[in-house]
Amino acid sequence: MRADAKRNYDRIVEVAREVFREQGYDASLDHVAKRAGVGPGTLYRHFPSRDALVDAVMQSWVATVEEAVGRALAVRGDDRALLLTWFEEYVALISVHKGGPAKLTGAMGDERSPIRTKCEVLRSAVDRVLEELRAAGALREDVTALQVARLVGGVATVADQGGLEPAEVRPMLEVLADGLLR
């Protein structure tokens, strides 16, 4: 990629991240292009679809998933504390951008989704936490990572769309945790 094209690409991703954080994933791509100082043609040359741009914006986010699961697995205490810490980390991870929880949760398990690699990163992180709980004999046997990702994502979607504070979300996550643990 030419240096000027790389600068445009990076600038579009940076601006899109800001705009999506402020306005959600459905924000105008023309607004993103204008704010990035490029024409719509330049934006669409780099990102032929909204999902391609969303995918690029989320690339740096993948590393934060690994950090979050590491923090959750480092929790000392009972199994419920581990699970609730992970749930709160998960909600925070998918709630970085307005509309993010619905976008990610809706794509979870969809093999055709352009953001399936991000969903797979999340599902794999959930699986790491669940494996820890399974090894301790603390988790119901019929629980899958996909189910948990969708359930916690549903709570995050309600919180995102309803403008709920973390203190209002925690009791819903506690109900989920209590339903998953033995």
Side-chain angles (χ1 to χ4, degrees):
M1 187 181 294
R2 295 183 340 244
D4 61 331
K6 176 71 171 133
R7 274 192 307 275
N8 285 341
Y9 179 95
D10 291 344
R11 178 70 182 144
I12 292 166
V13 171
E14 176 186 328
V15 168
R17 185 175 292 117
E18 294 167 6
V19 170
F20 291 161
R21 187 171 289 127
E22 295 163 5
Q23 301 174 19
Y25 287 112
D26 294 329
S28 164
L29 296 187
D30 287 341
H31 176 70
V32 170
K34 184 175 182 177
R35 197 158 145 185
V38 300
T42 300
L43 184 144
Y44 285 106
R45 217 174 1 269
H46 287 292
F47 307 101
S49 69
R50 178 180 301 277
D51 285 333
L53 180 56
V54 168
D55 187 61
V57 166
M58 294 176 71
Q59 283 296 337
S60 64
W61 168 86
V62 170
T64 64
V65 173
E66 285 302 313
E67 294 167 8
V69 78
R71 283 191 301 273
L73 290 172
V75 166
R76 296 295 166 231
D78 65 10
D79 299 321
R80 187 174 192 262
L82 164 64
L83 195 54
L84 285 170
T85 299
W86 171 241
F87 285 174
E88 289 174 331
E89 291 279 359
Y90 188 94
V91 168
L93 284 167
I94 68 172
S95 299
V96 171
H97 301 104
K98 184 163 178 46
K103 183 113 179 127
L104 282 163
T105 304
M108 195 63 67
D110 180 357
E111 292 299 317
R112 297 165 304 178
S113 172
I115 60 171
R116 88 178 161 278
T117 57
K118 306 313 178 289
C119 292
E120 186 55 29
V121 166
L122 279 171
R123 193 215 45 80
S124 178
V126 171
D127 211 28
R128 285 180 58 197
V129 172
L130 297 184
E131 285 305 316
E132 181 89 6
L133 293 167
R134 274 191 193 94
L139 189 68
R140 287 178 35 182
E141 291 191 24
D142 59 338
V143 174
T144 69
L146 180 58
Q147 290 169 333
V148 172
R150 286 176 172 164
L151 287 167
V152 178
V155 170
T157 299
V158 168
D160 180 57
Q161 292 176 354
L164 302 180
E165 295 297 321
E168 296 172 285
V169 175
R170 173 78 181 209
M172 291 184 279
L173 297 175
E174 290 173 345
V175 169
L176 283 179
D178 292 342
L180 298 175
L181 295 171
R182 290 180 184 240

